[in-house]
Amino acid sequence: MNNIETLIKAAMDAREQAHAPYSQFLVGCAVENADGALARGANMENACYRLGVCAEQSALAAAQIAFGLGNVARLAIVGGPLQAAEGTRGEPVMPCGGCRQAIMEAATLSGRDITIVCCDHTGQERVTTTIKALLPSSFTLPPA
Ligand code: THU
């Protein structure tokens, strides 16, 4: 795995690619596997507001192609308003409910918990947690 600063920097770089003209709330996400391979994503909105894609799901889709969902070990999320005042920090962005279910899918595939580092837009305000802590008693399908 990478140094945590490297992972957060990757999420901050991804946030630069966010397409969020409607909410003006920019989010980036970086996903890594146990070997330190990285996949990144950013939120991607569209004119039909409810069809926008969150940064986490964008990054998970990239991870699926790069190294497989079942190899996701840790992810960092960085987010905040486009117009955040210079030099100010914000609140860490916690993954939305839908993204928690998507992250849990990766954890179910590997049989391991996934660490999630939630950050504000500066990457300095941080909350570190896990998907099992954020989504207890989660829905899973019975084995086929
Ligand atoms: N957003 C994310 O990308 N991830 C989250 O976990 C929370 C919300 C995005 C969706 C939308 O483009 C914008 O932030 C405002 O909700």
Short mmCIF file of all heavy atoms in Angstrom, two decimals, residues 57-115:
data_model
loop_
_atom_site.label_atom_id
_atom_site.label_comp_id
_atom_site.label_asym_id
_atom_site.label_seq_id
_atom_site.Cartn_x
_atom_site.Cartn_y
_atom_site.Cartn_z
N GLN A 57 -17.92 5.92 -6.76
CA GLN A 57 -18.35 4.93 -7.75
C GLN A 57 -17.53 5.06 -9.03
O GLN A 57 -17.23 4.07 -9.70
CB GLN A 57 -19.84 5.08 -8.04
CG GLN A 57 -20.66 4.90 -6.78
CD GLN A 57 -21.86 3.98 -6.96
OE1 GLN A 57 -21.82 3.02 -7.71
NE2 GLN A 57 -22.91 4.27 -6.24
N SER A 58 -17.17 6.29 -9.36
CA SER A 58 -16.30 6.53 -10.51
C SER A 58 -14.94 5.84 -10.30
O SER A 58 -14.41 5.17 -11.20
CB SER A 58 -16.15 8.04 -10.68
OG SER A 58 -15.14 8.36 -11.58
N ALA A 59 -14.39 5.99 -9.10
CA ALA A 59 -13.07 5.39 -8.80
C ALA A 59 -13.17 3.86 -8.72
O ALA A 59 -12.25 3.15 -9.14
CB ALA A 59 -12.53 5.96 -7.49
N LEU A 60 -14.28 3.37 -8.17
CA LEU A 60 -14.44 1.91 -8.09
C LEU A 60 -14.54 1.29 -9.48
O LEU A 60 -14.02 0.20 -9.73
CB LEU A 60 -15.67 1.55 -7.25
CG LEU A 60 -15.52 1.73 -5.75
CD1 LEU A 60 -16.87 1.58 -5.05
CD2 LEU A 60 -14.51 0.75 -5.15
N ALA A 61 -15.21 2.00 -10.41
CA ALA A 61 -15.30 1.50 -11.78
C ALA A 61 -13.91 1.44 -12.42
O ALA A 61 -13.57 0.48 -13.13
CB ALA A 61 -16.24 2.37 -12.60
N ALA A 62 -13.09 2.45 -12.13
CA ALA A 62 -11.71 2.44 -12.65
C ALA A 62 -10.89 1.32 -12.00
O ALA A 62 -10.09 0.65 -12.67
CB ALA A 62 -11.05 3.80 -12.38
N ALA A 63 -11.12 1.09 -10.70
CA ALA A 63 -10.41 0.02 -9.99
C ALA A 63 -10.81 -1.35 -10.52
O ALA A 63 -9.98 -2.26 -10.62
CB ALA A 63 -10.69 0.11 -8.49
N GLN A 64 -12.08 -1.49 -10.87
CA GLN A 64 -12.57 -2.76 -11.43
C GLN A 64 -11.74 -3.13 -12.66
O GLN A 64 -11.34 -4.29 -12.83
CB GLN A 64 -14.04 -2.61 -11.79
CG GLN A 64 -14.65 -3.85 -12.43
CD GLN A 64 -16.07 -3.59 -12.93
OE1 GLN A 64 -16.60 -2.49 -12.78
NE2 GLN A 64 -16.67 -4.59 -13.51
N ILE A 65 -11.48 -2.14 -13.50
CA ILE A 65 -10.71 -2.40 -14.72
C ILE A 65 -9.22 -2.53 -14.42
O ILE A 65 -8.54 -3.39 -14.98
CB ILE A 65 -10.94 -1.25 -15.74
CG1 ILE A 65 -12.41 -1.13 -16.09
CG2 ILE A 65 -10.09 -1.46 -16.99
CD1 ILE A 65 -13.06 -2.39 -16.63
N ALA A 66 -8.71 -1.71 -13.51
CA ALA A 66 -7.26 -1.68 -13.25
C ALA A 66 -6.77 -2.91 -12.51
O ALA A 66 -5.74 -3.49 -12.87
CB ALA A 66 -6.90 -0.41 -12.46
N PHE A 67 -7.47 -3.31 -11.44
CA PHE A 67 -6.96 -4.46 -10.67
C PHE A 67 -8.05 -5.33 -10.06
O PHE A 67 -7.74 -6.27 -9.32
CB PHE A 67 -5.97 -4.00 -9.59
CG PHE A 67 -6.41 -2.81 -8.76
CD1 PHE A 67 -7.37 -2.93 -7.77
CD2 PHE A 67 -5.84 -1.56 -8.97
CE1 PHE A 67 -7.75 -1.85 -7.00
CE2 PHE A 67 -6.22 -0.46 -8.22
CZ PHE A 67 -7.18 -0.60 -7.22
N GLY A 68 -9.31 -5.02 -10.34
CA GLY A 68 -10.38 -5.90 -9.86
C GLY A 68 -10.99 -5.40 -8.56
O GLY A 68 -10.27 -5.06 -7.63
N LEU A 69 -12.32 -5.39 -8.51
CA LEU A 69 -13.03 -4.90 -7.32
C LEU A 69 -12.64 -5.69 -6.07
O LEU A 69 -12.55 -5.13 -4.98
CB LEU A 69 -14.55 -5.08 -7.51
CG LEU A 69 -15.37 -3.96 -8.11
CD1 LEU A 69 -16.86 -4.31 -7.96
CD2 LEU A 69 -15.06 -2.65 -7.41
N GLY A 70 -12.41 -6.97 -6.24
CA GLY A 70 -12.09 -7.82 -5.10
C GLY A 70 -10.71 -7.58 -4.52
O GLY A 70 -10.36 -8.17 -3.49
N ASN A 71 -9.92 -6.71 -5.16
CA ASN A 71 -8.58 -6.40 -4.65
C ASN A 71 -8.50 -5.00 -4.05
O ASN A 71 -7.40 -4.52 -3.74
CB ASN A 71 -7.55 -6.55 -5.77
CG ASN A 71 -7.39 -7.99 -6.19
OD1 ASN A 71 -7.23 -8.87 -5.33
ND2 ASN A 71 -7.47 -8.27 -7.47
N VAL A 72 -9.63 -4.34 -3.88
CA VAL A 72 -9.62 -3.01 -3.26
C VAL A 72 -9.26 -3.14 -1.78
O VAL A 72 -9.90 -3.91 -1.05
CB VAL A 72 -11.00 -2.33 -3.41
CG1 VAL A 72 -11.08 -1.07 -2.56
CG2 VAL A 72 -11.30 -2.01 -4.87
N ALA A 73 -8.25 -2.43 -1.35
CA ALA A 73 -7.80 -2.51 0.04
C ALA A 73 -8.13 -1.25 0.85
O ALA A 73 -8.44 -1.33 2.04
CB ALA A 73 -6.29 -2.76 0.09
N ARG A 74 -8.05 -0.11 0.20
CA ARG A 74 -8.22 1.15 0.95
C ARG A 74 -8.61 2.25 -0.03
O ARG A 74 -8.22 2.21 -1.20
CB ARG A 74 -6.89 1.50 1.64
CG ARG A 74 -6.94 2.69 2.57
CD ARG A 74 -5.71 2.78 3.43
NE ARG A 74 -4.49 3.05 2.67
CZ ARG A 74 -3.35 3.49 3.18
NH1 ARG A 74 -3.26 3.69 4.49
NH2 ARG A 74 -2.30 3.71 2.43
N LEU A 75 -9.33 3.23 0.44
CA LEU A 75 -9.64 4.37 -0.43
C LEU A 75 -9.64 5.67 0.36
O LEU A 75 -9.87 5.69 1.57
CB LEU A 75 -10.93 4.15 -1.20
CG LEU A 75 -12.24 3.87 -0.49
CD1 LEU A 75 -12.97 5.16 -0.21
CD2 LEU A 75 -13.10 2.99 -1.38
N ALA A 76 -9.35 6.74 -0.36
CA ALA A 76 -9.38 8.09 0.21
C ALA A 76 -10.37 8.93 -0.57
O ALA A 76 -10.46 8.82 -1.80
CB ALA A 76 -7.99 8.73 0.15
N ILE A 77 -11.12 9.74 0.14
CA ILE A 77 -12.11 10.65 -0.45
C ILE A 77 -11.74 12.06 -0.02
O ILE A 77 -11.46 12.31 1.15
CB ILE A 77 -13.53 10.32 0.06
CG1 ILE A 77 -13.88 8.85 -0.18
CG2 ILE A 77 -14.56 11.24 -0.58
CD1 ILE A 77 -15.01 8.35 0.70
N VAL A 78 -11.76 12.97 -1.00
CA VAL A 78 -11.44 14.39 -0.72
C VAL A 78 -12.54 15.22 -1.35
O VAL A 78 -12.86 15.04 -2.53
CB VAL A 78 -10.08 14.76 -1.36
CG1 VAL A 78 -9.85 16.26 -1.30
CG2 VAL A 78 -8.96 14.02 -0.66
N GLY A 79 -13.14 16.12 -0.59
CA GLY A 79 -14.21 16.91 -1.20
C GLY A 79 -14.48 18.21 -0.49
O GLY A 79 -14.10 18.41 0.67
N GLY A 80 -15.16 19.08 -1.22
CA GLY A 80 -15.57 20.37 -0.67
C GLY A 80 -16.05 21.28 -1.77
O GLY A 80 -15.95 20.95 -2.96
N PRO A 81 -16.58 22.44 -1.38
CA PRO A 81 -17.14 23.37 -2.37
C PRO A 81 -16.08 23.94 -3.30
O PRO A 81 -14.92 24.15 -2.88
CB PRO A 81 -17.74 24.49 -1.50
CG PRO A 81 -17.67 24.03 -0.09
CD PRO A 81 -16.69 22.92 -0.01
N LEU A 82 -16.49 24.19 -4.53
CA LEU A 82 -15.61 24.82 -5.51
C LEU A 82 -15.05 26.13 -4.98
O LEU A 82 -13.87 26.43 -5.15
CB LEU A 82 -16.40 25.05 -6.81
CG LEU A 82 -15.72 25.85 -7.92
CD1 LEU A 82 -14.50 25.11 -8.45
CD2 LEU A 82 -16.71 26.14 -9.05
N GLN A 83 -15.91 26.90 -4.33
CA GLN A 83 -15.54 28.25 -3.89
C GLN A 83 -15.12 28.29 -2.43
O GLN A 83 -15.38 29.29 -1.76
CB GLN A 83 -16.72 29.22 -4.10
CG GLN A 83 -17.24 29.29 -5.51
CD GLN A 83 -16.33 30.09 -6.44
OE1 GLN A 83 -15.23 30.47 -6.07
NE2 GLN A 83 -16.80 30.32 -7.66
N ALA A 84 -14.49 27.23 -1.94
CA ALA A 84 -14.03 27.25 -0.55
C ALA A 84 -13.08 28.43 -0.36
O ALA A 84 -12.20 28.68 -1.19
CB ALA A 84 -13.32 25.94 -0.22
N ALA A 85 -13.29 29.14 0.72
CA ALA A 85 -12.48 30.34 0.95
C ALA A 85 -11.00 29.96 1.11
O ALA A 85 -10.67 28.93 1.72
CB ALA A 85 -12.97 31.06 2.20
N GLU A 86 -10.17 30.77 0.54
CA GLU A 86 -8.72 30.56 0.56
C GLU A 86 -8.22 30.31 2.00
O GLU A 86 -8.58 31.04 2.91
CB GLU A 86 -8.03 31.81 0.00
CG GLU A 86 -6.55 31.67 -0.28
CD GLU A 86 -6.28 31.01 -1.63
OE1 GLU A 86 -7.14 31.12 -2.53
OE2 GLU A 86 -5.23 30.40 -1.75
N GLY A 87 -7.45 29.26 2.15
CA GLY A 87 -6.83 29.02 3.45
C GLY A 87 -7.75 28.42 4.51
O GLY A 87 -7.34 28.27 5.66
N THR A 88 -8.99 28.09 4.13
CA THR A 88 -9.90 27.52 5.12
C THR A 88 -10.02 26.01 4.94
O THR A 88 -9.89 25.51 3.84
CB THR A 88 -11.32 28.13 5.01
OG1 THR A 88 -11.86 27.82 3.72
CG2 THR A 88 -11.29 29.63 5.21
N ARG A 89 -10.28 25.35 6.03
CA ARG A 89 -10.55 23.92 5.99
C ARG A 89 -12.05 23.68 6.09
O ARG A 89 -12.80 24.57 6.47
CB ARG A 89 -9.84 23.22 7.16
CG ARG A 89 -8.32 23.27 7.05
CD ARG A 89 -7.71 22.42 8.14
NE ARG A 89 -6.25 22.48 8.13
CZ ARG A 89 -5.48 21.75 8.92
NH1 ARG A 89 -6.02 20.91 9.77
NH2 ARG A 89 -4.17 21.84 8.85
N GLY A 90 -12.47 22.47 5.74
CA GLY A 90 -13.89 22.12 5.83
C GLY A 90 -14.07 20.85 6.63
O GLY A 90 -13.20 20.46 7.41
N GLU A 91 -15.20 20.22 6.41
CA GLU A 91 -15.51 18.95 7.07
C GLU A 91 -15.12 17.79 6.16
O GLU A 91 -15.30 17.89 4.93
CB GLU A 91 -17.01 18.85 7.36
CG GLU A 91 -17.52 19.87 8.36
CD GLU A 91 -16.93 19.63 9.74
OE1 GLU A 91 -16.82 18.46 10.16
OE2 GLU A 91 -16.56 20.63 10.38
N PRO A 92 -14.61 16.70 6.71
CA PRO A 92 -14.36 15.52 5.87
C PRO A 92 -15.63 15.07 5.17
O PRO A 92 -16.72 15.12 5.76
CB PRO A 92 -13.89 14.47 6.88
CG PRO A 92 -13.40 15.24 8.05
CD PRO A 92 -14.25 16.47 8.12
N VAL A 93 -15.51 14.65 3.92
CA VAL A 93 -16.66 14.15 3.15
C VAL A 93 -16.82 12.66 3.42
O VAL A 93 -15.92 11.87 3.14
CB VAL A 93 -16.47 14.40 1.64
CG1 VAL A 93 -17.53 13.68 0.82
CG2 VAL A 93 -16.52 15.90 1.36
N MET A 94 -17.97 12.30 3.96
CA MET A 94 -18.27 10.90 4.23
C MET A 94 -19.01 10.31 3.02
O MET A 94 -19.81 11.01 2.39
CB MET A 94 -19.16 10.77 5.48
CG MET A 94 -18.63 11.49 6.70
SD MET A 94 -16.99 10.94 7.23
CE MET A 94 -17.37 9.29 7.82
N PRO A 95 -18.75 9.07 2.66
CA PRO A 95 -19.43 8.50 1.48
C PRO A 95 -20.94 8.41 1.68
O PRO A 95 -21.40 8.06 2.77
CB PRO A 95 -18.80 7.11 1.33
CG PRO A 95 -18.13 6.82 2.62
CD PRO A 95 -17.81 8.12 3.27
N CYS A 96 -21.69 8.71 0.62
CA CYS A 96 -23.16 8.65 0.68
C CYS A 96 -23.60 7.19 0.82
O CYS A 96 -22.80 6.26 0.66
CB CYS A 96 -23.77 9.31 -0.55
SG CYS A 96 -23.75 8.28 -2.02
N GLY A 97 -24.88 7.00 1.08
CA GLY A 97 -25.40 5.65 1.31
C GLY A 97 -25.17 4.71 0.14
O GLY A 97 -24.77 3.55 0.31
N GLY A 98 -25.42 5.22 -1.08
CA GLY A 98 -25.25 4.39 -2.26
C GLY A 98 -23.81 3.97 -2.44
O GLY A 98 -23.51 2.81 -2.81
N CYS A 99 -22.89 4.88 -2.19
CA CYS A 99 -21.46 4.56 -2.33
C CYS A 99 -21.03 3.55 -1.27
O CYS A 99 -20.17 2.70 -1.53
CB CYS A 99 -20.62 5.83 -2.27
SG CYS A 99 -20.79 6.83 -3.76
N ARG A 100 -21.62 3.65 -0.09
CA ARG A 100 -21.29 2.66 0.94
C ARG A 100 -21.65 1.25 0.47
O ARG A 100 -20.90 0.30 0.67
CB ARG A 100 -22.02 3.00 2.26
CG ARG A 100 -21.49 4.28 2.87
CD ARG A 100 -22.18 4.65 4.17
NE ARG A 100 -21.86 6.04 4.47
CZ ARG A 100 -21.95 6.61 5.66
NH1 ARG A 100 -22.36 5.91 6.69
NH2 ARG A 100 -21.62 7.88 5.83
N GLN A 101 -22.79 1.13 -0.17
CA GLN A 101 -23.19 -0.19 -0.67
C GLN A 101 -22.21 -0.67 -1.75
O GLN A 101 -21.85 -1.86 -1.80
CB GLN A 101 -24.62 -0.14 -1.24
CG GLN A 101 -25.17 -1.49 -1.66
CD GLN A 101 -25.56 -2.37 -0.47
OE1 GLN A 101 -26.06 -1.87 0.54
NE2 GLN A 101 -25.36 -3.67 -0.59
N ALA A 102 -21.76 0.25 -2.60
CA ALA A 102 -20.81 -0.13 -3.66
C ALA A 102 -19.46 -0.53 -3.07
O ALA A 102 -18.83 -1.49 -3.54
CB ALA A 102 -20.65 1.04 -4.64
N ILE A 103 -19.02 0.18 -2.04
CA ILE A 103 -17.74 -0.17 -1.39
C ILE A 103 -17.89 -1.52 -0.69
O ILE A 103 -16.98 -2.36 -0.71
CB ILE A 103 -17.32 0.94 -0.41
CG1 ILE A 103 -17.06 2.26 -1.14
CG2 ILE A 103 -16.06 0.51 0.36
CD1 ILE A 103 -17.00 3.49 -0.24
N MET A 104 -19.07 -1.75 -0.09
CA MET A 104 -19.31 -3.03 0.57
C MET A 104 -19.26 -4.20 -0.42
O MET A 104 -18.83 -5.30 -0.08
CB MET A 104 -20.66 -3.01 1.30
CG MET A 104 -20.98 -4.26 2.08
SD MET A 104 -19.75 -4.69 3.33
CE MET A 104 -20.30 -3.64 4.69
N GLU A 105 -19.68 -3.94 -1.65
CA GLU A 105 -19.62 -4.99 -2.68
C GLU A 105 -18.16 -5.44 -2.86
O GLU A 105 -17.89 -6.65 -2.97
CB GLU A 105 -20.18 -4.44 -4.00
CG GLU A 105 -20.25 -5.46 -5.12
CD GLU A 105 -21.40 -6.46 -4.94
OE1 GLU A 105 -22.29 -6.21 -4.12
OE2 GLU A 105 -21.37 -7.49 -5.64
N ALA A 106 -17.25 -4.47 -2.89
CA ALA A 106 -15.82 -4.82 -3.03
C ALA A 106 -15.34 -5.60 -1.81
O ALA A 106 -14.58 -6.57 -1.93
CB ALA A 106 -15.00 -3.54 -3.22
N ALA A 107 -15.79 -5.20 -0.62
CA ALA A 107 -15.37 -5.89 0.61
C ALA A 107 -15.92 -7.32 0.65
O ALA A 107 -15.24 -8.25 1.09
CB ALA A 107 -15.84 -5.11 1.84
N THR A 108 -17.14 -7.48 0.16
CA THR A 108 -17.75 -8.81 0.13
C THR A 108 -16.97 -9.73 -0.81
O THR A 108 -16.73 -10.91 -0.50
CB THR A 108 -19.22 -8.71 -0.33
OG1 THR A 108 -19.92 -7.87 0.59
CG2 THR A 108 -19.89 -10.07 -0.36
N LEU A 109 -16.53 -9.18 -1.93
CA LEU A 109 -15.77 -9.98 -2.90
C LEU A 109 -14.46 -10.49 -2.31
O LEU A 109 -14.06 -11.62 -2.55
CB LEU A 109 -15.46 -9.13 -4.14
CG LEU A 109 -16.55 -9.04 -5.20
CD1 LEU A 109 -16.14 -8.03 -6.26
CD2 LEU A 109 -16.81 -10.40 -5.82
N SER A 110 -13.78 -9.61 -1.54
CA SER A 110 -12.47 -9.99 -1.00
C SER A 110 -12.59 -10.74 0.33
O SER A 110 -11.65 -11.41 0.75
CB SER A 110 -11.61 -8.75 -0.78
OG SER A 110 -12.17 -7.94 0.25
N GLY A 111 -13.72 -10.56 1.01
CA GLY A 111 -13.87 -11.15 2.35
C GLY A 111 -13.11 -10.36 3.40
O GLY A 111 -12.92 -10.83 4.52
N ARG A 112 -12.66 -9.15 3.05
CA ARG A 112 -11.92 -8.29 4.00
C ARG A 112 -12.60 -6.94 4.13
O ARG A 112 -13.28 -6.48 3.21
CB ARG A 112 -10.48 -8.08 3.51
CG ARG A 112 -9.61 -9.34 3.57
CD ARG A 112 -8.15 -8.98 3.29
NE ARG A 112 -7.97 -8.49 1.94
CZ ARG A 112 -7.72 -9.27 0.88
NH1 ARG A 112 -7.64 -10.57 1.02
NH2 ARG A 112 -7.57 -8.74 -0.32
N ASP A 113 -12.38 -6.29 5.26
CA ASP A 113 -12.89 -4.94 5.46
C ASP A 113 -12.06 -3.97 4.60
O ASP A 113 -10.94 -4.33 4.16
CB ASP A 113 -12.77 -4.56 6.94
CG ASP A 113 -13.80 -3.52 7.37
OD1 ASP A 113 -14.53 -2.98 6.51
OD2 ASP A 113 -13.89 -3.24 8.58
N ILE A 114 -12.60 -2.80 4.32
CA ILE A 114 -11.89 -1.79 3.51
C ILE A 114 -11.76 -0.52 4.33
O ILE A 114 -12.76 -0.01 4.88
CB ILE A 114 -12.64 -1.53 2.19
CG1 ILE A 114 -12.57 -2.77 1.29
CG2 ILE A 114 -12.08 -0.29 1.48
CD1 ILE A 114 -13.40 -2.66 0.01
N THR A 115 -10.55 0.00 4.43
CA THR A 115 -10.31 1.26 5.16
C THR A 115 -10.68 2.43 4.27
O THR A 115 -10.38 2.44 3.07
CB THR A 115 -8.82 1.34 5.57
OG1 THR A 115 -8.53 0.25 6.43
CG2 THR A 115 -8.51 2.64 6.28
#
